[in-house]
Amino acid sequence: MAGVDKTVKKYFLTAAAALFFIWPCHTMGFEFESFFKGLRQNMLSYLKAPDAKISLCYKLDQNHWTNFYLPPATDRVKIITTANIPKKADYDPDTPMKYALEYQICDKENNIIKSGIYHKHTKITLYNDAAGDKQYTAGYYLKTPLVPADGRSVVLDFKKIPDNQGLKMRFRLFGHDPIIFDVVMRLYLPETPSENNLKHQWQRTGKEKREHLSRFNIYPPEFLTQTEQINLMRMAWQPLAPLGSASKDYVLRKLYVRKEIDADIVQPPPFPTGLVIDQQLRVTVPIPEQGIQVKCVFSHVAPIVEGKPPAHIQLKWFGKKQKKQEWTVPWNGIFAVYENRLAGGIMELSSDQPVIVQVYSIDKGQKTDITPAPLVARAFAMDQENTLTYRVSHAKGLSTPFKAVFRKKTSDTISADQSIDYALLDHNGKQILKKNIPFDPVPSVYDHLIENDTRIILSDPVAVYFRLPPKVSSIRFSSSSPLLATAYNRPPQRMALTRVPEDGYASMDKEDEKQVSWFPITPLGFNTLFKLQRSVLLRLQHRPPDIDYDLSSGRFVWESFAPRGNSNDNGNGHYILTPAEKKQYHRDSALVSNFKKIPLNIPVTINFKSQGALKKMRPRLIFYSENRSRPFHIKAILDRKDYFQKDLAGLTGSVMLPPVQAGIHKLTLLSSAPVQCFVNLIRSEDAGYHLRFAYRLTRKSMTLDYTKLFDEDENLSLALFFPSMYHSGDQYGDQQSDQHSQRLVFTAKIQNLSFTDYGPFNTLTRRKRQYSLRPDNNEPAYILNSSTPLLRSRQSCFFPLRSDLKPGKYEISLTLEHGPDAYIVPYRVISGVYPERKILKEIK
């Protein structure tokens, strides 16, 4: 304090020297000593915070108004209020202190144009000084024994007031909590310099004010453009004093506010950031298509309990085409880190005990927090007495698709006969139909809501779909016990756009999200429901795909479709050899259509296996030559004996090989020309190639006769093969262009489909879909008996036929919309084991 004392003495001597000449001699007794005492106190307080800003505040009274005159053309004002409590008051920093501010806007004749009451709650935030041994507030008074709480502000907009000339505003305190001693206010008007002055105002503004105005910019004030500087000057505010004189018409008080707080707020240690996972709730993280290096940081929630077994933390990854992987994260009870490179898909984190997880993406040493924020949906509560009614809009007299999703709080009692009732109403409110839907809730491990700072687990969603005809004007729901409902609709003729493969991944970029399929709607009387607190926000997550273990284990039936009027000939399509994917299983039924590439002039060990119990079989050899004009000779040696030889010609072709015994053999293929050879009926770890017949996809529609076999959902699978290269300079790109910009677009549509059933359904079919496909990064396909021997990589998509369609025959048309003619293989995969009839002939 030596430096402070010297500074104080300097001020004392300066003040004393001035007063010695101007203060009358007969008053230099008690008054002079009192003045020096006050001056010393003020200087000490000021030196504790020399950067404090003085704000003139005006005390609010509950019985009298504090009046302000507003200059002409005032379009908005800012009011800052500060509640004060006595210094000796015992307050709880976690309990908010409440007060209410009443205001009125009056015209020239004192007619009230607008009035209202703002209810505020505040608290007192404490800060530590640099040494950490003292605490203080951001604001303080010099002489008044009050502690100012945190300020609260509000901006009033006058743009909707027709006449803003000669307006007056008045304020008073409407009420406050007993702990609050009084409340002060400040009123600010926007600074309104002329446009010419705005250009120069920034240069005249001090550095401190520039930094304050540009505090929300991502770069410092020195780098602002002139336009940005002018816009910031328009945002400046200037204080306005009340009407009248101090002490007579209002009470003035000086509030000292520290401009910069270089300290830490005194508060309990913050709850660790991240997401809590436990036995009831898992966390899912979308992984973008290109894949990322993921880093998961786990920390404990509660204190460690001795003797309690450590948490079992699991990380699961779900990819496309039924791919799944699992890892266990080692956990010591306090902290754990797991890092791995994951391909596109969904990552799921689970734990049998509460732990906190933060998820990061690591790219070139840079760490980015990708801990997912929950998806949010607004739901409305209903029960037997409190119903929900939704209006149904119809376009062009068509039936409207409608979707309702129901969930239940696990904290609510579940009735034995839980059900959902629905009624269809006409334009006069008359009931057309009334039925009920059984509801069997299952607790969700992904969805929840927050109620009174408590997490409430929800049940898994139960979705019901309707196709409501024009005579239905509204639909009303009720339930035997409390449920939460969300509702959606969509235009009946809206064609669904599917981008492949992008829409198969949950995008982390909002601008790249897939097309919305359903649009949320609110029930009638939304405002009333909101006021009655029958509206809640649900916290949802992306869900991993369901794994069909029959498909992933190879238990399925593969069936292809031929377009109407087409047969397997060169005029309508070609056989192709398409690269197969490596699987964890072997299917004997696929051996006849699966071909392995056999290298030339090298003995290879192969295992011939038939698709049945045959001991002998006749393999097939497919060749591809790079020169069609020259014939070549091919010879096969099996187990060191001449097995087959033949003179061949042409670009591609196939020949049947002599019978061969099932089992292990040594095979050597010799050729006089550089050809590629493929042989079937071989079991090996190599995935090989599938032989498929592909049809031309053109701008002339092809029609498929599809027979739906089951009441459940089915998928028509479509494998599309791109041309080997796009024509140079045409609208589709050329060989050098980026493959991501080379897309094929086609539509799939169910023809002659009429709907007679209202629903409800478990799922709903979209009659018409459009697909925009990008080629995949896989091997090219070989096309047989064609002048174009190679096809570019393929891409697959699916046309769903949902459970609302009954088993039977359906006509599906496919039409190319954009891009060069391509090839397509329509097929379906039916999971499960089904009886098959096969005719086999044993070869002697």
Side-chain angles (χ1 to χ4, degrees), residues 408 410 414 439-445 457-462 543:
K408 188 174 187 66
T410 55
I414 300 176
F439 181 80
D440 185 15
V442 176
S444 173
V445 292
I457 298 297
L458 301 170
S459 67
D460 273 331
V462 174
R543 298 199 170 212

Side-chain angles (χ1 to χ4, degrees), residues 399-436:
S399 296
T400 298
F402 183 91
K403 171 185 175 183
V405 181
F406 303 97
R407 293 176 172 88
K408 188 174 187 66
K409 300 179 189 177
T410 55
S411 57
D412 290 340
T413 303
I414 300 176
S415 60
D417 54 346
Q418 180 87 17
S419 65
I420 302 166
D421 296 320
Y422 73 91
L424 305 182
L425 311 175
D426 64 13
H427 297 276
N428 299 317
K430 185 179 179 181
Q431 186 171 291
I432 301 174
L433 178 70
K434 183 177 181 180
K435 287 187 176 181
N436 62 21

Side-chain angles (χ1 to χ4, degrees), residues 704 716-720 746 795-799 814 824-827:
L704 304 176
L716 170 64
S717 299
L718 301 167
L720 199 75
F746 73 96
Q795 189 61 266
S796 297
C797 58
F798 306 94
F799 186 84
L814 306 176
I824 193 168
V825 177
Y827 66 96

